[in-house]
Amino acid sequence: MRLTDLWTRPAVPARDALVDQIEQALRALGWLQGPVGPPRHVDSPFGIDEMPFEHWLVQVFLPRLHEARRDGQWPPQSQVAVAARRNLDGRDDCEPLLHLLAQLDHDITTGGAPARGRP
C-alpha cells in the first residue's frame, strides 16, 4: 500500500469496524462457524425463552447488525452489553466480546460521540 492510498480510500466508520470485530470475537469463541445467516425470529427479549444467549448473539443479534450496517438503519439505543454481562458473567474468555458490545452500545446510544474522558 502506498501512502497516497490512505488519502483516497474511504474511512471505515467505527460502527462498521465494531460489527466486524464482534463477528470475529464470536468466531474466536467458537460460537460462529461459516457465513452469517438471516436473523432468526424470536418472540422474547434476547431470545431468553427460546435459546441460550450465545445462540441469540449468533442467530439473531449478529445478523441484525449486518442488516443495520447494510441498510443504514440503526436502533436509537442499544443495551446488549448489559444483557451480555448478565448472561456471560464470570466467563473470562468472553471479556473481549463484552468490551466490544459495550463500545457498540455507547456508539449507538450516543450517535458516535466519544466517551467521557476520551479525546
Side-chain angles (χ1 to χ4, degrees):
M1 175 186 296
R2 300 178 316 228
L3 183 58
T4 55
D5 291 338
L6 295 174
W7 295 323
T8 58
R9 290 178 43 189
V12 175
R15 205 173 290 171
D16 287 351
L18 280 171
V19 172
D20 292 337
Q21 291 169 358
I22 289 167
E23 181 176 335
Q24 291 170 2
L26 292 169
R27 289 184 189 284
L29 287 165
W31 298 348
L32 174 65
Q33 292 91 27
V36 176
R40 181 172 162 190
H41 175 78
V42 292
D43 292 316
S44 57
F46 305 106
I48 197 162
D49 295 333
E50 301 162 67
M51 64 184 73
F53 186 75
E54 298 92 315
H55 294 189
W56 178 85
L57 284 170
V58 171
Q59 296 175 17
V60 179
F61 180 69
L62 184 61
R64 286 183 183 167
L65 281 182
H66 280 279
E67 286 181 347
R69 177 169 60 179
R70 182 190 67 230
D71 300 339
Q73 299 293 318
W74 296 92
Q77 64 178 347
S78 177
Q79 297 181 346
V80 70
V82 173
R85 180 66 61 189
R86 285 183 187 144
N87 284 278
L88 304 172
D89 189 38
R91 295 202 42 190
D92 292 339
D93 59 335
C94 294
E95 284 302 318
L97 174 63
L98 293 171
H99 179 73
L100 292 167
L101 294 173
Q103 285 181 300
L104 181 69
D105 280 359
H106 178 269
D107 187 77
I108 288 174
T109 302
T110 64
R116 283 191 214 159
R118 289 186 179 170

